[in-house]
Amino acid sequence: MDTRAIVAGLAFALMWSSAFTSARIIVAEATPLAALTLRYLISGVIGIAIARVLGQSWHLTPTQWRATIVFGVLQNAVYLGLNFVAMQTIEASLAAIIASTMPLLVALAGWLFLKERLRPLGVAGLIAGVAGVGVIMGARLGGGVDLYGVALCAIGVVALTIATLSVRGATSGGNFLMIVGLQMLVGCVTLGLATLAFETPQMTPSWRLAAAFVYTTVVPGLAATFVWFWLVNRIGATRAATFHFLNPFFGVAIAALLLAEPLGPRDLIGVAIIALGILAVQISRQSKR
């Protein structure tokens, strides 16, 4: 793995993890579904415009359209929609930790349902990941965490796992950025309907809200996606996914730094265990290849 790939992987992990902190700021001053709908509208239009400038077409293959719709609904609408709603009542660090278990769930589902072989190191990583989550949840439950918010995040990460397994390889054949832009518009439409059904949009204008919204739209929304695709094309999806082991660390560190969210010793131990579990699973899958 060359230096440019390492820098890109670190940048991706940092940008992805920071999204939870900026989302926490947004939902404190605006209704979550409406804010996320607007974000996807802006991100989708920008993404499609960039793709067109680069000569990419929106004439996708049937497989690519399936990937676009599945990911747009499950990842953009269900996963992020539920996380935005949940972060009205739970901390950004906890939401980031739950979301960071996605690589573990993908490996577990592939092993249980798709009959993918998992080496002993991968099995140990799964066990470590579960143990790490147990350590953190044990500490948080004692502190009166909102279980409804936790449940929403858990459903969201399961939806993201299903989306990841459903569309693996479906974006092959080019038009990566166009697919990303269209996925965002699918999420926009889905969340727009949810907003009409469940919310009365409200907002308290402030510079803090504006800065968080612009950051979330541009950095985790667009820049992180572009960096991820560049990284996958350069070193492959399995090696690129290794950088996910940094997400628990970055997620809790950014939330503690910018939101002053408290972190106890059991939180830090749990984060370290989850990160090692993710790394073990990814190294196991990489070695298999």
Side-chain angles (χ1 to χ4, degrees):
M1 191 181 300
D2 59 85
T3 303
R4 291 181 65 188
I6 293 174
V7 171
L10 292 173
F12 165 76
L14 187 61
M15 289 187 289
W16 188 91
S17 302
S18 68
F20 298 91
T21 294
S22 59
R24 174 77 165 160
I25 295 172
I26 291 171
V27 301
E29 302 185 27
T31 47
L33 298 182
L36 195 54
T37 299
L38 180 59
R39 171 200 157 178
Y40 277 131
L41 176 61
I42 297 172
S43 298
V45 170
I46 294 174
I48 290 172
I50 294 173
R52 291 298 293 166
V53 169
L54 296 176
Q56 295 188 12
S57 170
W58 43 50
H59 297 295
L60 308 181
T61 66
T63 302
Q64 288 176 327
W65 273 117
R66 179 176 66 86
T68 298
I69 295 171
V70 169
F71 234 70
V73 172
L74 291 181
Q75 174 183 274
N76 296 343
V78 178
Y79 161 66
L80 275 177
L82 292 179
N83 270 268
F84 264 58
V85 172
M87 276 187 283
Q88 294 178 110
T89 57
I90 70 170
E91 295 177 333
S93 57
L94 181 55
I97 289 167
I98 295 173
S100 296
T101 62
M102 186 271 290
L104 300 173
L105 295 179
V106 169
L108 178 61
W111 181 33
L112 293 178
F113 304 115
L114 301 180
K115 307 305 180 183
E116 293 182 351
R117 182 184 176 189
L118 196 60
R119 293 172 178 269
L121 179 61
V123 176
L126 290 177
I127 295 173
V130 173
V133 172
V135 169
I136 292 172
M137 292 310 300
R140 296 298 179 98
L141 288 175
V145 67
D146 178 48
L147 294 180
Y148 177 69
V150 171
L152 292 181
C153 287
I155 295 171
V157 76
V158 170
L160 180 58
T161 300
I162 295 171
T164 302
L165 290 171
S166 300
V167 301
R168 285 187 301 180
T171 55
S172 61
N175 292 328
F176 292 133
L177 300 184
M178 179 61 71
I179 291 172
V180 170
L182 291 172
Q183 284 174 357
M184 291 178 178
L185 291 187
V186 171
C188 173
V189 172
T190 307
L191 286 167
L193 295 174
T195 300
L196 292 175
F198 301 111
E199 273 189 0
T200 299
Q202 296 179 350
M203 176 182 66
T204 303
S206 68
W207 287 110
R208 176 183 169 92
L209 173 61
F213 184 84
V214 171
Y215 177 85
T216 303
T217 301
V218 175
V219 179
L222 286 171
T225 302
F226 295 160
V227 170
W228 173 254
F229 278 117
W230 181 90
L231 191 64
V232 169
N233 287 333
R234 190 173 185 88
I235 65 175
T238 301
R239 298 179 70 188
T242 304
F243 288 99
H244 277 292
F245 89 95
L246 295 169
N247 291 334
F249 286 112
F250 284 157
V252 299
I254 294 170
L257 179 64
L258 298 181
L259 301 178
E261 292 187 358
L263 289 174
R266 291 180 64 178
D267 292 319
L268 297 177
I269 293 172
V271 165
I273 295 173
I274 293 171
L276 291 174
I278 294 172
L279 182 60
V281 168
Q282 297 301 339
I283 291 176
S284 172
R285 298 175 72 188
Q286 182 175 324
S287 301
K288 181 176 65 175
R289 286 161 175 77

